Amino acid sequence: MTDLSALADDISSCTRCPLHRGRIHAVPGDGQSGATIMLVGEAPGREEDRQGRPFVGKAGRILDEALHAAALKREELYITNVVKCRPPGNRNPRQEEVEACLPYLESQINLIRPRILCTLGRVATEEIFPRYGLQPVPLARIHGTAYEVRDTPGVIVPVYHPAATIYNPALAEVFMADIKKIARLSEDLR
């Protein structure tokens, strides 16, 4: 791919897996092409499918609050998902759906070249970690930890998915603290 716009067009017309049949919009991702920080979630939800943008529903509002508290501007980041179309009923993506979308995510990472790749939740962590030679372990043990990797990105930081704070309010402070760690790490890399 030559640029994010062409890649977004490819994603929007993708038919690599059955998820395209039920979507309103594919959700390629959005943000700055040269972003220092790239956030990767699991898959779009209902509101994301309606709007064609990542993290615009309830979990997105939680993410926006955490970004604001950490003095990070959403428009200066790049935000996307492992899977670009909404799985029915917001179920976890199936492995064949993940495999169909991974070339898109890899292209996004190569085009953006973030210094920090933040995996939001278990699914993103389990899919991304092995591709960089890292062993995914439960988020309860590794959230907020910066893992250095060779090349791009330089650092991978797993955190809880913002939706986890809806189901477990005790994670709200943990999530907020982890996003603040990412902001500090970003400052250190400048």
Side-chain angles (χ1 to χ4, degrees), residues 56-114:
V56 292
K58 195 170 185 178
R61 287 189 294 279
I62 294 165
L63 176 61
D64 287 344
E65 289 172 19
L67 294 174
H68 179 74
L72 291 171
K73 295 179 180 171
R74 184 179 174 122
E75 62 271 12
E76 293 176 355
L77 312 173
Y78 193 85
I79 304 174
T80 191
N81 286 294
V82 172
V83 172
K84 311 303 185 187
C85 296
R86 179 182 182 224
N90 287 343
R91 66 164 166 73
N92 285 344
R94 295 186 176 131
Q95 196 57 41
E96 60 271 16
E97 296 159 351
V98 168
E99 293 300 326
C101 275
L102 276 175
Y104 294 132
L105 179 61
E106 289 168 356
S107 292
Q108 288 171 318
I109 293 168
N110 290 332
L111 287 167
I112 294 161
R113 301 193 59 77

Side-chain angles (χ1 to χ4, degrees), residues 128-146:
I128 290 172
F129 263 44
R131 283 159 174 72
Y132 292 95
L134 299 170
Q135 183 65 37
V137 294
L139 277 174
R141 291 186 19 217
I142 64 170
H143 70 85
T145 303

Side-chain angles (χ1 to χ4, degrees), residues 1 3-14 23-31 38-45 48-55 74 77-86 101-109 111-112:
M1 276 303 115
D3 65 26
L4 287 173
S5 178
L7 182 58
D9 289 344
D10 284 353
I11 292 168
S12 293
S13 61
C14 179
R23 74 177 177 224
I24 297 170
H25 293 100
V27 183
D30 67 19
M38 183 174 183
L39 306 176
V40 181
E42 174 182 320
E48 290 77 11
D49 184 37
R50 285 183 185 154
Q51 294 186 38
R53 294 187 59 227
F55 288 91
R74 184 179 174 122
L77 312 173
Y78 193 85
I79 304 174
T80 191
N81 286 294
V82 172
V83 172
K84 311 303 185 187
C85 296
R86 179 182 182 224
C101 275
L102 276 175
Y104 294 132
L105 179 61
E106 289 168 356
S107 292
Q108 288 171 318
I109 293 168
L111 287 167
I112 294 161

